[in-house]
Amino acid sequence: VVTLTTRNFPGSSTLQTKTNTVTQTGGTDLNELYTPQVWTRLRGRHMSIRIDSTDIGVQWQVGSFRLDLRPDGRR
């Protein structure tokens, strides 16, 4: 499970939280094995990323995160 949380400033209250579950979808090709691209929209000045697994005895590794950030009009 990947959880993204945004805040206006570190230590302030949470503005938004989005959770996406990464699952194995089958297939034999490495590119078809896991959850495809997920589009998530959040607004905030500070973001935290949390990665959790509740399964026991599972080996996994985290690849690269790519974020498409855009400036907003809020100040």
Side-chain angles (χ1 to χ4, degrees), residues 3 5 10 13-14 20-21 25 27-30 33 35-36 39 41 46-48 51 53 56-57 71:
T3 304
T5 304
S13 61
T14 301
N20 293 314
T21 303
T25 59
T28 56
D29 185 16
L30 185 61
L33 210 69
T35 302
W39 291 98
R41 295 181 124 196
H46 173 88
M47 182 191 308
S48 61
I51 302 167
S53 176
I56 298 174

Side-chain angles (χ1 to χ4, degrees), residues 20-60:
N20 293 314
T21 303
V22 179
T23 57
Q24 186 171 349
T25 59
T28 56
D29 185 16
L30 185 61
N31 293 329
E32 298 173 358
L33 210 69
Y34 299 100
T35 302
Q37 181 174 354
V38 177
W39 291 98
T40 301
R41 295 181 124 196
L42 294 170
R43 174 182 270 179
R45 297 176 130 194
H46 173 88
M47 182 191 308
S48 61
I49 300 172
R50 180 178 176 144
I51 302 167
D52 290 317
S53 176
T54 58
D55 294 337
I56 298 174
V58 176
Q59 295 181 356
W60 55 279

